[in-house]
Amino acid sequence: MKKILLLCLALAAGPVLAAWEKGPQWLENAVIYQVYPSSFKDSDGNGIGDIPGVLSKLDYIESLGVDVVWFNPLFESGWIDGGYDVKDYYRVDPRFGTNTDLVRLVQECHKRGIKVFLDLVPGHTSMDHPWFRQSMEADANRQYSDYFIWSDRLPDAKAEEELRQMLASDNYMQNTTGKWMVSDAPRGKYYMKNFYACQPSLNFGYYEPNPENPWEQGMDEPGPKAVKQELKDIISFWFGKGVDGFRVDMAASLVKNDKEKKGITAFWREIRAWMDSEYPDHVLMAEWGNPIHCLVAGFNVDMYLNGSSKSNTVRRMYFDNKHQADGGSYFSLDGAKPSTMDLYGNPWPADRIDSVTTAADILKRYYDYYGKVVEETSGLGYFATITGNHDHLRFNTGARNNPAQLKVAMAWVLTQQLPILYYGDEIGIRSLAELPNVEGSNHNGKERAGGRTPMQWDSSVNAGFSTCDPEKCYLPVCLEWTPATSYPLYLKWKEEGCRKPAAKGHITVADEENDPASLLNWTRALITLRHDTKAFWGSSEWTPLFDEENPYPMVYTRSDGEECYLVALNPTGARRTVAIPSLKGAKSSPKPVMLSGKASCHITPKGTVVAMEPVSAMIVRIR
């Protein structure tokens, strides 16, 4: 028998480093559904989604079986960064409706047993926010003067060079280079930004302020303390309207000069203690991407970020170093062989092909990382696994483009500790590159528009998303299962008669609703199994079974101490078999409780053999 590494990591073990519960009990069994409001459903025919549109589709959301709906920013915005440049934290943006519409949405969700999370952007505002407009004035002693960070000089040569590079770009207001932006405001020559140049950083203070830099205020000085109070006021306002929690954008970015994250940890622990006192059943979920820091800091939930950073261990499960899926990722047909094409379908020069990482490397790094996280954060909170999100491409990208492949990936996400399902991934909406840069969706060469296209309800105009003329639609849609990688190639494919589609039918709710074998109904069945089976809940044991020589299929067990289930996944185009040690208490001939494709599990006194046909997923109850 080949060498097997058994990594048994009980989520219930490990040090407890916080003085609070890890979250409301319902999080143990939760599935979160993320909705990008501009792209979900348009009720008034203007080409942009809105709250009445979401209300009209609540029965569909309920039918998925999800427990929470997380909405990307609904607050009034300047719309230079897709709603993340907030002008008023207390008002719903008119494009979506009114505050009353949002309160009704919360109430209707609650009637269906669904919680509501809003997206909170605490690190920065829009340039047009009244706080920032007042801070620009010459009088530095107004109410909001110290809500932002102003200076008459840049701190060093590095900052000067970064500003020069940013201003030289074609669209510098939607550029993330550097930390400072030039200004003609009476208050100062420069202000600190937090993402785009149009997003001035709110001043939560510096953990170790440099006395030689007068703009660096300590965390306990009046300005930063006032901003922290504003944050509490915003949270209180929306919790008072029935909202159940917040997903916090760029949660680690608030405190400056804080390399070890001591300042930001203290900051969020204070917020968490206040919330536990005033709103004990509510949830804070972070965009942090480092749960060992994040959950110690008091958040209930952190999440995987499947972005293109080379240091992102989890990313290689989804994408290669170039953020595409034609190779170089674990969930690929070719078994993680190096990708030879870029995101747009163009061949890579030989010297740019990543030929180092193997499937075994990817899987072991993932197991090691995930195992370390669950061991060190047990009792503190949950680490969520996502199907995709608004900042990255979807699972249906490049050569990973048919329902069978997506079922395998969906089985992985929905059998992890806490799943987040991105709208449209349950039907397999396709990501295309080279879409328009709508409201800052694409920046610095990064394609985000492909993950924000409209929800596809049926095969009518604009996929049933809107009755507007197609050219007025928020973003174009791709109804077909197509091998195209970019929007120009998709249009060419349609002109040529839609030859060689990757799968039959349209990618729509209507087409998949009544098909028992559809991705949509596979997703619903996985969510039902999860809810009905304690072995898949957040604190249940997760045990990966890793064969160094045979990284496919991916095999792990989930157990609550009584029942135990084996999950086996083969995303590749080849038959894969692995032998693992005998599983304690296992039935001799377990039958799959869920199966996509063809696979089998045979348990003998000498060991267990898992055999998987190409592109298959299997869940087996072994005891």
Side-chain angles (χ1 to χ4, degrees), residues 90 147 204 224-234 274:
Y90 297 95
Y147 274 38
F204 289 93
K225 287 179 70 175
V227 177
K228 180 167 58 179
Q229 185 58 51
E230 289 281 4
L231 178 61
K232 290 181 179 180
D233 292 345
I234 294 164
W274 165 76

Side-chain angles (χ1 to χ4, degrees), residues 60-364:
Y60 168 77
I61 294 175
E62 182 182 14
S63 77
L64 297 174
V66 298
D67 306 275
V68 182
V69 181
W70 152 34
F71 293 97
N72 287 100
L74 289 165
F75 306 138
E76 186 175 7
S77 172
W79 295 107
I80 298 180
D81 185 23
Y84 286 91
D85 47 326
V86 177
K87 293 168 62 176
D88 188 342
Y89 291 98
Y90 297 95
R91 185 189 182 200
V92 168
D93 194 284
R95 75 192 285 173
F96 298 132
T98 66
N99 284 24
T100 299
D101 289 329
L102 179 53
V103 169
R104 182 185 169 212
L105 175 60
V106 172
Q107 292 170 344
E108 290 297 323
C109 284
H110 287 174
K111 288 179 183 179
R112 293 165 170 81
I114 299 170
K115 311 287 187 184
V116 174
F117 290 177
L118 300 186
D119 217 320
L120 181 63
V121 189
H124 52 262
T125 69
S126 164
M127 292 177 63
D128 293 325
H129 195 295
W131 297 346
F132 186 69
R133 304 304 295 180
Q134 187 188 97
S135 80
M136 296 171 66
E137 297 176 8
D139 187 345
N141 290 290
R142 299 291 306 280
Q143 181 178 0
Y144 305 119
S145 296
D146 288 333
Y147 274 38
F148 301 88
I149 302 170
W150 290 91
S151 174
D152 281 325
R153 64 176 173 86
L154 294 175
D156 50 38
K158 180 175 180 290
E160 293 173 358
E161 175 58 21
E162 288 173 340
L163 179 59
R164 186 197 65 78
Q165 291 179 9
M166 185 185 72
L167 295 176
S169 65
D170 292 336
N171 185 4
Y172 60 80
M173 293 306 290
Q174 293 176 338
N175 191 294
T176 61
T177 304
K179 298 179 180 179
W180 292 90
M181 178 57 184
V182 67
S183 175
D184 59 359
R187 174 68 184 277
K189 293 181 181 178
Y190 308 98
Y191 62 84
M192 181 170 282
K193 66 190 186 72
N194 203 45
F195 190 65
Y196 283 159
C198 65
Q199 292 164 313
S201 180
L202 280 163
N203 180 21
F204 289 93
Y206 285 68
Y207 181 63
E208 295 181 335
N210 183 345
E212 295 182 1
N213 297 334
W215 61 85
E216 297 188 12
Q217 298 180 355
M219 294 174 63
D220 290 327
E221 293 191 44
K225 287 179 70 175
V227 177
K228 180 167 58 179
Q229 185 58 51
E230 289 281 4
L231 178 61
K232 290 181 179 180
D233 292 345
I234 294 164
I235 292 171
S236 293
F237 178 82
W238 289 109
F239 283 174
K241 301 298 181 185
V243 171
D244 302 285
F246 281 103
R247 176 267 191 185
V248 181
D249 181 65
M250 296 179 66
S253 71
L254 275 60
V255 177
K256 313 304 180 186
N257 282 10
D258 188 26
K259 291 183 180 180
E260 295 182 3
K261 303 301 180 186
K262 293 180 180 179
I264 194 63
T265 297
F267 178 93
W268 284 116
R269 285 175 73 91
E270 178 185 336
I271 297 294
R272 173 64 188 276
W274 165 76
M275 275 184 53
D276 280 355
S277 173
E278 300 295 325
Y279 306 99
D281 296 324
H282 292 65
V283 171
L284 278 182
M285 180 170 73
E287 181 195 33
W288 194 307
N290 188 333
I292 294 174
H293 281 144
C294 176
L295 301 184
V296 169
F299 282 89
N300 304 103
V301 181
D302 192 15
M303 66 185 74
Y304 284 149
L305 300 174
N306 58 342
S308 55
S309 168
K310 291 185 178 181
S311 63
N312 188 332
T313 299
V314 181
R315 168 187 43 79
R316 293 304 291 265
M317 301 295 287
Y318 298 79
F319 303 109
D320 76 345
N321 273 337
K322 309 163 197 76
H323 206 175
Q324 58 94 21
D326 286 335
S329 63
Y330 186 81
F331 283 95
S332 59
L333 279 174
D334 63 7
K337 291 180 180 179
S339 58
T340 58
M341 294 187 297
D342 67 14
L343 190 60
Y344 312 101
N346 304 312
W348 280 106
D351 61 351
R352 297 196 66 186
I353 296 176
D354 178 7
S355 59
V356 178
T357 303
T358 67
D361 294 332
I362 293 171
L363 189 58
K364 187 175 188 306

Side-chain angles (χ1 to χ4, degrees), residues 326 398-399 401 430 432 481-486 489 493 499-502:
D326 286 335
N401 59 12
R430 179 146 178 85
L432 294 175
W481 297 94
T482 163
T485 56
S486 69
L489 286 176
W493 178 79
R499 293 179 297 178
K500 297 182 179 179

Side-chain angles (χ1 to χ4, degrees), residues 573-589:
R575 189 177 190 273
R576 305 283 184 167
T577 302
V578 66
I580 59 178
S582 295
L583 299 169
K584 184 178 179 180
K587 300 177 181 179
S588 59
S589 301

Side-chain angles (χ1 to χ4, degrees), residues 359-535:
D361 294 332
I362 293 171
L363 189 58
K364 187 175 188 306
R365 286 177 63 194
Y366 164 71
Y367 278 162
D368 288 348
Y369 177 70
Y370 188 81
K372 177 181 173 65
V373 166
V374 298
E375 183 176 23
E376 295 194 21
T377 64
S378 176
L380 300 178
Y382 300 90
F383 192 22
T385 305
I386 65 176
T387 61
N389 70 14
H390 60 290
D391 280 335
H392 306 291
L393 301 179
R394 295 178 179 273
F395 261 137
N396 186 351
T397 298
R400 189 171 53 224
N401 59 12
N402 69 48
Q405 290 174 281
L406 303 181
K407 286 181 180 181
V408 176
M410 189 66 74
W412 172 58
V413 173
L414 289 176
T415 55
Q416 297 303 301
Q417 189 183 48
L418 175 61
I420 300 179
L421 176 61
Y422 188 44
Y423 83 97
D425 284 350
E426 72 272 21
I427 60 172
I429 285 182
R430 179 146 178 85
S431 278
L432 294 175
E434 296 186 277
L435 289 173
N437 180 22
V438 174
E439 297 175 348
S441 55
N442 302 332
H443 66 89
N444 298 18
K446 182 177 179 180
E447 298 267 359
R448 299 193 296 179
R452 302 182 182 185
T453 56
M455 182 63 176
Q456 297 170 191
W457 298 103
D458 56 46
S459 56
S460 65
V461 64
N462 302 318
F465 162 70
S466 175
T467 58
C468 70
D469 293 335
E471 62 271 15
K472 294 182 180 179
C473 199
Y474 180 69
L475 280 165
V477 299
C478 173
L479 281 175
E480 295 86 1
W481 297 94
T482 163
T485 56
S486 69
Y487 192 60
L489 286 176
Y490 168 63
L491 295 177
K492 181 179 179 182
W493 178 79
K494 287 182 70 77
E495 290 172 0
E496 293 176 349
C498 306
R499 293 179 297 178
K500 297 182 179 179
K504 295 180 180 179
H506 290 117
I507 308 175
T508 66
V509 171
D511 269 26
E512 298 189 26
E513 190 76 62
N514 298 315
D515 178 4
S518 69
L519 175 61
L520 173 59
N521 285 311
W522 170 260
T523 301
R524 285 171 168 156
L526 283 168
I527 293 173
T528 298
L529 176 66
R530 180 182 184 87
H531 283 152
D532 293 345
T533 311
K534 195 173 180 180

Side-chain angles (χ1 to χ4, degrees), residues 34-61:
Q34 179 187 355
V35 169
Y36 195 73
S38 296
S39 302
F40 196 66
K41 176 62 178 176
D42 170 24
S43 70
D44 57 12
N46 68 351
I48 300 174
D50 47 46
I51 292 174
V54 177
L55 281 163
S56 72
K57 295 298 183 180
L58 280 187
D59 287 346
Y60 168 77
I61 294 175

